[in-house]
């Protein structure tokens, strides 16, 4: 087992409460960088060590917040990550996992109990913000006790904080969220009105989903806006996620976590926060791949399928009624 200094320093938040933070990475320069950045942001952090020291179970005290750098995984490390997931969940510690887009699917599949924050190709600023967000949740108001409206508002606020932090870090990735879902209620059906007719013609008491080609057209139209406007102006990951999963559901295809992050139109770290939020609120469900334990699929819940079907039935009916 790798040797490391496991003495944790107390980290104080704005309320004067404390948490213990540790950092584990096989890249020494990154451990030093994270420590320097956290200290520069006003945190105090003790040293951690190499990833093996955390994964092999030899560490008796996890600390309140654990930062794990895991850019690549293999079968052995996946098994260790799954054990860590159970251990963190039992201990009540808060986990931040920093990984790459290439490793996102297998890493995501390992964590189904501890609900970690997963950062993808994270910037230095994003790591600092992630620690601050966790400490706020641990030592401040409990997010789960907030109303649904307040939770979404808090999530949008943290995205704005991320955007400001990224600017200070001189990065191009920003996560300012401006909801545009209402604009899609009047989408252009174009010349292919028979798609809408087929969608409505198949309606029954349970209201089926629309023709997936109709949904894919809307997605293409939304993406087309980026040719003429700043993509950030129309960023609405929750709606983009729902549209992509609606089309996939109607096509009887499965969507991996990494694919859904791409479809969201925002950085993967931001998309993962929205996926987590939407899963917690019952819109999305996590489904393990029975043939490949390295992958997890995301699907619409039954309630979300019904809501999207009724939404499309209403918005497709309106232009057809006007034409009549």
């Amino acid at each position: 087992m790798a040797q490391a200094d496991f003495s944790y320093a107390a980290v104080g938040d704005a309320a004067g409460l404390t948490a213990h933070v540790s950092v584990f990475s096989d890249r020494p320069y990154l451990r030093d960088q994270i420590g320097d950045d956290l200290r520069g942001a006003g945190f105090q952090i003790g040293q951690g060590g190499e990833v093996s020291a955390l994964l092999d179970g030899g560490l008796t005290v996890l600390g309140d917040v654990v930062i794990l750098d895991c850019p690549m995984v293999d079968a052995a490390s996946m098994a260790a990550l799954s054990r860590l997931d159970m251990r963190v969940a039992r201990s009540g510690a808060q986990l931040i996992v920093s990984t790459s887009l290439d490793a996102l699917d297998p890493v995501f599949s390992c964590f189904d109990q501890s609900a970690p924050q997963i950062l993808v190709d994270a910037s230095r600023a994003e790591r600092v913000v992630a620690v601050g967000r966790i400490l706020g949740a641990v030592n401040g108001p409990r997010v789960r006790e907030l109303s649904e409206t307040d939770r979404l508002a808090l999530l949008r606020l943290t995205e704005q904080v991320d955007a400001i932090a990224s600017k200070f870090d001189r990065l191009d990735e920003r996560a300012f969220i401006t909801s545009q879902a209402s604009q899609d209620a009047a989408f252009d059906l174009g010349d292919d009105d028979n798609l809408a007719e087929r969608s409505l013609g198949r309606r029954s008491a349970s209201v089926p989903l629309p023709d997936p080609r109709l949904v894919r057209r809307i997605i293409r139209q939304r993406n087309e806006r980026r040719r003429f406007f700043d993509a950030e102006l129309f960023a609405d990951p929750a709606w983009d996620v729902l549209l992509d999963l609606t089309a996939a559901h109607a096509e009887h295809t499965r969507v991996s976590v990494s694919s859904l992050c791409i479809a969201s139109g925002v950085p993967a770290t931001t998309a993962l926060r929205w996926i987590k939020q939407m899963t917690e609120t019952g819109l999305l469900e996590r489904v393990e791949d029975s043939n490949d334990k390295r992958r997890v699929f995301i699907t619409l819940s039954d309630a979300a399928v019904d809501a999207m079907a009724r939404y499309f039935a209403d918005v497709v009916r309106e232009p057809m009624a006007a034409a009549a």
Side-chain angles (χ1 to χ4, degrees), residues 90-117:
R90 289 195 300 266
S91 71
Q94 301 293 318
L95 180 63
I96 299 172
V97 180
S98 180
T99 189
S100 64
L101 185 59
D102 289 340
L104 175 58
D105 285 320
V107 167
F108 188 90
S109 69
C110 295
F111 296 99
D112 63 350
Q113 298 185 46
S114 61
Q117 279 196 56

Side-chain angles (χ1 to χ4, degrees), residues 241-242 245-246 249 283-285 298-302 304-305 308:
V241 164
L242 288 175
L245 289 179
T246 296
H249 190 93
L283 288 173
L284 309 182
E285 294 180 351
I298 303 297
T299 66
L300 295 174
S301 66
D302 290 341
V305 170
M308 292 300 289

